[in-house]
Amino acid sequence: EAQVTQNPRYLITVTGKKLTVTCSQNMNHEYMSWYRQDPGLGLRQIYYSMNVEVTDKGDVPEGYKVSRKEKRNFPLILESPSPNQTSLYFCASSYIGRTRETQYFGPGTRLLVL
Amino acid sequence: QQPVQSPQAVILREGEDAVINCSSSKALYSVHWYRQKHGEAPVFLMILLKGGEQKGHEKISASFNEKKQQSSLYLTASQLSYSGTYFCGTSQSNFGNEKLTFGTGTRLTIIP
């Protein structure tokens, strides 16, 4: 089954404790992206990747890191989480090209930073 | 800069029609529409490319007015299953820059 998986689905942590949210897709997509969703603000892009070893900032990259060492994986790293990073996070993937194929979203990771 | 969606929320009775608008101050190459049900991930509805095309998906269709940098999503004879929050995402580049900027969403509630 074609899918995007994220782990963990729920996470409670404390300020400053480094964490990683994993994202994996099995569709051989070149493009992967991370979004955060907050009430009233919609989906905001954090980072995206066009292919292995190619990443770029989205609209709200501060406080986040990403890496793309393998095509299927795109982990999101919070080196020193703060309460304002409490949010719902979505990973997404797609093929790339002129028609800009649809993005497939993962199930989401709900993060609470105390 | 995020595209502006209107209305922010709408309540309809089953069978009524709805229009959701998405406007940008920047020149767009594409507009993407997604629907998100409560507690779930966004699901792709359709994509419209520069050129003013109109697309359809069952009773849901959309248009893209390149001159106005505006897209509209049309939901005809709404069904209970149409309830959810609708997001438009906009892109300014056809290739090489895959930044997709989403609006803040339109919450659609369909009542029997």
Side-chain angles (χ1 to χ4, degrees):
Chain A
E1 179 190 356
Q3 60 181 354
V4 179
T5 57
Q6 294 179 229
N7 283 292
R9 294 288 312 279
Y10 304 91
L11 180 60
I12 301 174
T13 190
V14 295
T15 298
K17 186 176 181 180
K18 181 179 178 180
L19 67 91
T20 299
V21 183
T22 64
C23 173
S24 183
Q25 49 93 5
N26 62 0
M27 295 168 278
N28 202 35
H29 286 162
E30 300 93 351
Y31 175 87
M32 297 186 76
S33 180
W34 276 104
Y35 298 90
R36 62 177 289 174
Q37 186 172 31
D38 303 288
L41 298 178
L43 290 156
R44 293 180 293 166
Q45 191 175 44
I46 303 171
Y47 270 95
Y48 65 96
S49 170
M50 300 287 283
N51 215 322
V52 175
E53 302 292 359
V54 180
T55 63
D56 207 348
K57 296 177 181 179
D59 294 318
V60 288
E62 296 78 20
Y64 304 94
K65 285 178 59 177
V66 293
S67 68
R68 187 91 181 273
K69 293 182 169 54
E70 302 170 287
K71 197 171 186 179
R72 65 182 293 127
N73 296 322
F74 190 45
L76 179 69
I77 303 159
L78 285 73
E79 294 268 358
S80 183
S82 62
N84 64 13
Q85 292 178 296
T86 291
S87 187
L88 177 59
Y89 291 87
F90 287 104
C91 178
S93 72
S94 72
Y95 294 111
I96 58 174
R98 187 176 182 276
T99 56
R100 190 60 169 79
E101 300 286 342
T102 176
Q103 288 192 79
Y104 294 85
F105 281 80
T109 295
R110 193 169 292 278
L111 172 65
L112 173 61
V113 183
L114 300 174
Chain B
Q1 189 174 4
Q2 287 182 286
V4 177
Q5 287 186 235
S6 63
Q8 288 185 318
V10 58
I11 300 174
L12 297 175
R13 290 197 177 277
E14 210 173 354
E16 292 182 333
D17 300 339
V19 179
I20 299 172
N21 298 306
C22 174
S23 298
S24 175
S25 58
K26 299 182 178 181
L28 300 176
Y29 177 78
S30 63
V31 180
H32 309 234
W33 286 98
Y34 286 80
R35 176 171 62 206
Q36 183 180 32
K37 292 190 178 288
H38 184 69
E40 299 180 8
V43 174
F44 173 80
L45 292 176
M46 64 189 74
I47 178 175
L48 300 105
L49 303 179
K50 184 178 177 180
E53 66 178 278
Q54 188 161 355
K55 281 201 166 187
H57 178 72
E58 297 179 347
K59 293 183 180 179
I60 301 175
S61 62
S63 63
F64 178 22
N65 187 320
E66 185 184 333
K67 290 182 180 178
K68 292 184 178 181
Q69 303 305 323
Q70 178 177 311
S71 177
S72 295
L73 185 71
Y74 308 95
L75 297 98
T76 306
S78 56
Q79 306 168 11
L80 294 175
S81 63
Y82 288 1
S83 291
T85 300
Y86 290 78
F87 292 98
C88 68
T90 58
S91 175
Q92 295 177 263
S93 176
N94 62 334
F95 193 81
N97 178 353
E98 294 296 328
K99 281 187 66 173
L100 194 63
T101 304
F102 285 91
T104 56
T106 295
R107 178 174 290 183
L108 175 65
T109 303
I110 309 296
I111 56 177

